[in-house]
Amino acid sequence: MKKDFNRSTTTSVIKLNLVLLTAILGLTTTPLMAQRGGRVATPPAGAAAAAPGRMVNKEDSAYIRKKYKKMEVMIPMRDGVKLYTCIYMPKDDTRSYPIMLDRTPYGCAPYGPDAFKTSLGPSMIFAREGFIFAYQDVRGKFMSEGDFVATRPYKVKKTPTDFDESSDTYDAIDWMTKNLPLNNGKVGTWGISAPGFYTTMTAIEAHPALKAVSPQAPVTNWFMGDDRHHNGVFQEMGTFAFISGFGVPRPKPSPMGARGFSAYNTQDGYNFFLKMGPLKNFNERILHHTNPLWDEMQYHDTYDEYWKSRTPEPHLKNIGPAVMTVGGFFDQEDPYGPLKTFAAIEKGGHKDLNTLVMGPWYHGAFSRGDGETIGNIQLGSKTGLFYRENIEFPFFMHYLKDAPDPQLPKAYVFETGSNTWHKYSKWPPAEAKQGALYMQPGGKLAFTAPKANKQMFDSYLSDPAKPVPYTAEVRVIRGSEFMVEDQRFASTRPDVLVYQTDVLDKDVTIAGNVNADLFVSTTGTDADFVVKVIDVYPDDAPNNAALNPAIPMGGFQMMVRGEIMRAKFRNGFEKTVPMVPGKVAELKWDVEDINHTFLKGHRIMIQVQSTWFPLNDRNPQKFVNIYKANEADFQKATNKVYFTPQFPSHVDVKLIEK
């Protein structure tokens, strides 16, 4: 008999170190001091700062102090507001250098002329080569003047004093190229996560000196697929931890950032968020409407102009600088951003290179560590090191220092499963053919559509009071390992449907976009549906788990991709439509891209469920504004997934024959 509730009783140690915290929150230029329960505080002015997720290296720190001098300036913008910028200049004045600019809402710590970062640039390879490095607090954050607006909208038509993030970058580059000694007149921009958003904005109406742009794991659309919502579903756990600090108003410029919530008083995030109840309770019990950014998100429960105006995608047209967009297939925060940024530039047109790099990484993990493993999965090579040395560095060297052209392809993509890098002339690959994995009676999964059968559907009881956990770990901070976690803990629940192929008699490679297309019904008036694509290892797989050698890899269910959809958005995200109880409805949604080979001897599995908590908020399964829902609105519902010739539930995939 399946258990009603199955979670590991082994409490994972909450890793309150810089590496994990930057992976969780996407913090990329400000070192953070993590405290129990995920409390986050920026360091005081003058404290030493490490680069994102990198352990402090005394040799690197000494090198920077020996070879670079630091200056802090307030650069004027066109409307008179001045933005704090710290600049690291090479002491060697016998040659000129390009400028590498990183604009960030996370602070440029350490502040003070005698306090130095312990790493510079995308990696220390850049610092040792020699560049001018500029870090700028965006408008309204930390030491910059002005008012902060998260993912500030781009203004198509501007008066001479109108501004946005594109114009602020233009003004900053213009000032630096005219005022910084030793600069060679060429500028490159880069940034990870939110700084990736600001990097994308640098490419729009770019300054002529801007030659190379690299948005990395960029925030791109906070409603459709990055950070705050996925397909309109609120990302409860990660958003609360992040926005509780990030969204606090700043009364005046300061080197200190606001502290995030810390009083969890438990290590069990599942229970904490379950006891919190409906989303409105966060304001009633903790925030008390003192966090404007949190409130803004609650006010805009559909894809309205508030959200549409904040994505750069429609404005990525006729891009001048060379662009290299970077992302990770297992990014727990911004899986949408890199893929959609690249696609938007391809569609909108570009004058120079537009290339996509996708690797087997969590959020920003390409910038730290060697990348030889992810979770318990062995990757067979040092993917992060390879990227930094053979892709990222040559890209900037060519465009900023006239080094040889690295001849980057349209898409440089790592394929998990086979653990190989591939160069493609387009993405998805031209050789990828359309296919579909169809759900079948008896928990079967096949590449052929279902035939008429007595069994027309599978059903399960979805209970918001007992939601399916997103991880078997007990933790209060979201983490990242769940992106490749063994899904056996979920497959034993009665409210998770499991479909799998027979043992594969040959390798099957899926490369490109994955789309879910389910025919469902519910006894409620709204419902969520989660689709997870899983690689099932053979029973005799060797025990080579990277994190914990004691974990049996035989039968391991590696999640390759998972994504959620809210039924009321099935006709579009601008307007919600209730479900009609008992009536079959078709739900289609973007599960995002993968590049994975399911090896011979493995199986392909798809799991379907209606809760994924507290990663995502709970659907009351009643057609209401969920941000205003009361406890009484939450109800049990019986959900059905159909697999008939008329209602063939399936997952669309791109297949490469090998």
Side-chain angles (χ1 to χ4, degrees):
M1 179 179 294
K2 292 184 179 179
K3 298 179 182 178
D4 182 59
F5 182 73
N6 182 2
R7 282 195 298 151
S8 169
T9 57
T10 302
T11 301
S12 63
V13 177
I14 298 176
K15 305 170 184 177
L16 297 175
N17 56 47
L18 184 60
V19 176
L20 178 60
L21 203 52
T22 52
I24 292 167
L25 299 180
L27 300 173
T28 61
T29 57
T30 303
L32 297 179
M33 299 181 294
Q35 300 170 17
R36 185 182 180 279
R39 181 177 179 178
V40 178
T42 54
R54 304 172 195 149
M55 301 306 291
V56 174
N57 183 304
K58 292 183 179 180
E59 181 181 342
D60 291 345
S61 183
Y63 182 88
I64 292 169
R65 284 189 172 274
K66 180 179 179 181
K67 298 292 185 177
Y68 287 85
K69 55 187 177 182
K70 180 183 177 182
M71 58 188 295
E72 297 178 301
V73 297
M74 297 296 291
I75 297 179
M77 301 292 104
R78 61 191 62 186
D79 64 334
V81 166
K82 296 179 180 179
L83 304 187
Y84 171 90
T85 310
C86 68
I87 299 166
Y88 292 80
M89 298 278 297
K91 292 180 180 179
D92 180 3
D93 60 1
T94 62
R95 55 193 178 115
S96 60
Y97 306 89
I99 300 168
M100 289 289 289
L101 172 63
D102 181 12
R103 305 188 70 243
T104 176
Y106 298 137
C108 299
Y111 294 92
D114 298 323
F116 279 61
K117 289 182 177 291
T118 56
S119 182
L120 292 176
S123 75
M124 275 299 293
I125 306 173
F126 289 78
R128 294 184 182 277
E129 165 64 27
F131 287 80
I132 297 170
F133 298 100
Y135 297 86
Q136 185 172 78
D137 288 336
V138 299
R139 185 181 291 255
K141 278 292 186 178
F142 289 85
M143 293 299 291
S144 284
E145 298 174 353
D147 297 321
F148 176 71
V149 174
T151 56
R152 187 188 302 273
Y154 168 74
K155 289 187 177 181
V156 177
K157 296 181 179 180
K158 300 183 183 74
T159 67
T161 56
D162 278 347
F163 61 87
D164 52 28
E165 303 303 341
S166 176
S167 70
D168 279 355
T169 305
Y170 190 104
D171 294 348
I173 291 175
D174 197 62
W175 187 93
M176 288 190 292
T177 53
K178 291 177 179 178
N179 291 277
L180 292 183
L182 306 181
N183 87 82
N184 70 357
K186 295 182 179 181
V187 179
T189 56
W190 94 101
I192 302 171
S193 194
F197 164 82
Y198 295 102
T199 302
T200 301
M201 298 302 290
T202 69
I204 302 171
E205 294 186 345
H207 191 284
L210 182 58
K211 305 300 182 183
V213 174
S214 185
Q216 301 179 354
V219 169
T220 302
N221 192 314
W222 266 3
F223 194 84
M224 297 304 300
D226 288 325
D227 293 298
R228 313 283 70 94
H229 300 80
H230 284 203
N231 293 314
V233 180
F234 190 61
Q235 303 293 284
E236 182 172 350
M237 189 181 201
T239 298
F240 175 67
F242 178 71
I243 297 298
S244 66
F246 187 74
V248 174
R250 182 205 67 172
K252 61 181 181 180
S254 170
M256 295 294 292
R259 293 176 178 269
F261 178 78
S262 63
Y264 291 95
N265 297 320
T266 179
Q267 292 185 346
D268 193 336
Y270 182 96
N271 284 335
F272 173 84
F273 288 98
L274 195 59
K275 290 178 181 178
M276 180 60 61
L279 292 176
K280 71 174 189 175
N281 286 354
F282 283 101
N283 259 325
E284 292 179 2
R285 299 180 185 178
I286 298 173
L287 300 175
H288 307 296
H289 295 287
T290 60
N291 193 309
L293 184 53
W294 176 273
D295 286 352
E296 285 178 20
M297 293 185 181
Q298 316 300 301
Y299 298 149
H300 300 279
D301 65 323
T302 61
Y303 194 49
D304 58 14
E305 191 58 31
Y306 174 88
W307 298 111
K308 291 178 182 179
S309 68
R310 281 164 163 73
T311 177
E313 294 170 79
H315 310 296
L316 293 170
K317 300 175 181 178
N318 301 315
I319 298 301
V323 181
M324 180 182 72
T325 306
V326 183
F329 282 117
F330 305 104
D331 190 322
Q332 73 278 14
E333 297 180 36
D334 299 306
Y336 177 103
L339 297 163
K340 299 306 189 284
T341 296
F342 166 78
I345 295 173
E346 281 294 280
K347 180 181 178 180
H350 49 93
K351 300 175 183 178
D352 209 312
L353 177 74
N354 179 42
T355 188
L356 173 70
V357 181
M358 292 292 293
W361 304 308
Y362 298 135
H363 189 64
F366 42 80
S367 69
R368 57 186 182 269
D370 59 22
E372 199 165 11
T373 62
I374 182 166
N376 280 303
I377 308 303
Q378 304 282 351
L379 297 174
S381 65
K382 297 180 179 180
T383 63
L385 194 62
F386 176 84
Y387 157 74
R388 294 192 295 273
E389 293 180 348
N390 298 285
I391 301 175
E392 181 180 52
F393 184 64
F395 167 76
F396 281 108
M397 284 293 290
H398 172 64
Y399 285 99
L400 302 183
K401 288 197 170 188
D402 298 321
D405 188 346
Q407 298 294 316
L408 294 177
K410 180 60 66 175
Y412 212 144
V413 183
F414 189 86
E415 181 181 289
T416 47
S418 65
N419 291 339
T420 52
W421 283 99
H422 292 273
K423 296 179 179 180
Y424 292 116
S425 59
K426 63 181 296 187
W427 184 261
E431 55 266 42
K433 307 300 181 184
Q434 190 63 51
L437 284 159
Y438 290 90
M439 295 151 199
Q440 312 275 353
K444 297 290 186 179
L445 188 67
F447 285 103
T448 55
K451 299 178 180 179
N453 194 287
K454 291 183 179 179
Q455 184 183 357
M456 299 175 60
F457 58 82
D458 283 328
S459 65
Y460 56 93
L461 181 67
S462 175
D463 185 354
K466 297 180 180 179
V468 180
Y470 79 101
T471 178
E473 291 187 291
V474 178
R475 57 187 308 132
V476 75
I477 294 297
R478 178 187 53 204
S480 52
E481 285 87 357
F482 75 92
M483 293 295 293
V484 291
E485 187 174 358
D486 186 355
Q487 296 299 303
R488 283 179 283 199
F489 76 94
S491 64
T492 59
R493 286 183 57 117
D495 51 358
V496 176
L497 302 181
V498 178
Y499 304 90
Q500 62 179 339
T501 64
D502 293 332
V503 175
L504 300 175
D505 59 7
K506 63 178 181 179
D507 293 354
V508 175
T509 300
I510 299 178
N513 190 247
V514 175
N515 285 284
D517 189 345
L518 299 190
F519 292 87
V520 301
S521 68
T522 179
T523 56
T525 51
D526 193 13
D528 290 346
F529 289 90
V530 176
V531 161
K532 294 185 287 189
V533 180
I534 295 164
D535 185 344
V536 183
Y537 284 39
D539 290 337
D540 60 355
N543 291 333
N544 62 352
L547 286 178
N548 183 359
I551 291 178
M553 295 300 289
F556 190 90
Q557 297 176 7
M558 172 192 171
M559 188 170 78
V560 179
R561 170 64 66 210
E563 193 55 279
I564 193 168
M565 177 65 181
R566 189 148 280 169
K568 67 181 181 181
F569 290 125
R570 65 191 180 280
N571 294 340
F573 293 94
E574 294 86 358
K575 185 178 180 180
T576 57
V577 179
M579 292 284 281
V580 178
K583 184 178 180 180
V584 178
E586 184 177 14
L587 272 64
K588 294 183 178 182
W589 72 96
D590 187 354
V591 184
E592 300 301 347
D593 298 19
I594 68 174
N595 193 34
H596 184 82
T597 291
F598 298 82
L599 298 174
K600 178 181 178 181
H602 290 224
R603 296 174 188 259
I604 304 173
M605 176 185 286
I606 289 177
Q607 292 182 3
V608 180
Q609 59 201 59
S610 288
T611 47
W612 209 14
F613 185 77
L615 180 68
N616 302 278
D617 72 323
R618 295 173 302 144
N619 191 322
Q621 303 184 137
K622 179 180 179 181
F623 184 69
V624 296
N625 182 330
I626 297 178
Y627 297 109
K628 298 179 181 179
N630 297 306
E631 192 70 58
D633 292 320
F634 288 77
Q635 61 185 12
K636 297 178 183 179
T638 297
N639 296 337
K640 297 179 180 179
V641 176
Y642 294 79
F643 35 74
T644 67
Q646 182 183 5
F647 302 128
S649 294
H650 62 279
V651 174
D652 291 313
V653 295
K654 298 283 188 179
L655 297 167
I656 292 182
E657 294 286 341
K658 293 187 177 180

